[in-house]
Amino acid sequence: MARPDILSRNPFEDAFAKLGHTPLTLAVLDLDHFKTLNDTLGHTEGDRVLRAVERLLSGSLPSGSIIGRIGGDEYAVILPESAAETALILFDEMIRHFHIHRDPHWPRSLGISVGLAARPAHASEYAELYRAADEALLRAKREGRGRACIFVESKMVLKSNYYPKSQLERLSKLSGALSRTEASLLREALDELVERYRAEL
């Protein structure tokens, strides 16, 4: 069976767009302490690590998966028709495989962390889904690295203290109409607000 190509960022995003509204899981992953390896063993050894990760990804993922190198040591994977829980099991196995079979000259701290987000459960559009997967990746780093985590929607605690009931009802209606979570809509509004007043920061 032919191994999938490793796409660059733009072709990877194009491949996502071509899937339309297919349910899928998006994984974002990078190497733990990769900079330390580059600084101590050199970029040639760093390139060997990246090639090993790419072989592991292209050789271990199910048929139909799409792999992209987003930049540096960061990769993303699209798993069409896969639930986040299924992807979690898959990437847990890959992380263990990398840990067991890595070159003994590489630092023991070198590992892989993965963040996962599913469509439609967590978001529908690429930018929102990527942000959710990236948040899950950051949580994997905070929780000790060398692991995979699924995105967990942060609760808008006490939002009723900040917004009148009429606005919350409109937000709920908009959320249903757009098939997006209230939290993602509020994050979008906050992003636009920060961008508008960026000069003041």
Side-chain angles (χ1 to χ4, degrees):
M1 184 172 62
R3 293 186 169 212
D5 294 332
I6 309 292
L7 305 177
S8 59
R9 180 192 291 264
N10 288 340
F12 180 80
E13 293 182 12
D14 291 343
F16 182 95
K18 287 175 184 173
L19 290 171
H21 299 289
T22 302
L24 55 84
T25 292
L26 176 68
V28 176
L29 58 132
D30 72 9
L31 287 156
D32 304 318
H33 302 296
F34 182 68
K35 184 178 185 301
T36 302
L37 180 139
N38 261 341
D39 291 345
T40 56
L41 300 181
H43 290 277
T44 300
E45 198 65 20
D47 288 342
R48 278 193 65 227
V49 173
L50 295 178
R51 286 197 299 274
V53 170
E54 291 178 3
R55 283 195 304 273
L56 180 60
L57 289 171
S58 62
S60 305
L61 293 170
S63 176
S65 301
I66 301 165
I67 308 166
R69 184 176 177 189
I70 305 304
D73 64 319
E74 184 176 325
Y75 294 84
V77 175
I78 300 166
L79 298 166
E81 305 289 353
S82 291
E85 293 76 14
T86 304
L88 181 68
I89 294 168
L90 174 67
F91 280 103
D92 275 343
E93 185 178 325
M94 288 177 57
I95 289 166
R96 281 196 303 273
H97 181 92
F98 180 81
H99 183 78
I100 292 167
H101 298 285
R102 65 187 169 182
D103 190 305
H105 294 100
W106 297 343
R108 288 195 60 78
S109 60
L110 183 72
I112 300 173
S113 292
V114 183
L116 302 163
R119 180 171 75 184
H122 302 129
S124 296
E125 300 304 317
Y126 179 78
E128 282 288 321
L129 197 63
Y130 186 91
R131 178 157 53 183
D134 196 49
E135 282 185 32
L137 172 61
L138 292 175
R139 183 161 65 88
K141 300 281 191 185
R142 286 196 304 270
E143 293 182 1
R145 304 175 189 268
R147 66 194 62 210
C149 286
I150 297 173
F151 174 71
V152 177
E153 185 73 64
S154 57
K155 303 298 182 187
M156 304 302 261
V157 179
L158 298 178
K159 66 184 177 184
S160 59
N161 290 353
Y162 300 100
Y163 305 103
K165 184 179 178 183
S166 60
Q167 281 188 319
L168 291 175
E169 288 172 350
R170 290 167 66 194
L171 176 64
S172 177
K173 188 175 180 181
L174 184 61
S175 171
L178 297 177
S179 298
R180 290 178 56 187
T181 64
E182 293 179 15
S184 73
L185 292 171
L186 289 171
R187 279 198 301 270
E188 180 181 308
L190 183 59
D191 287 346
E192 290 179 1
L193 180 68
V194 170
E195 190 61 37
R196 186 186 307 168
Y197 294 105
R198 184 169 296 280
E200 308 300 321
L201 298 175

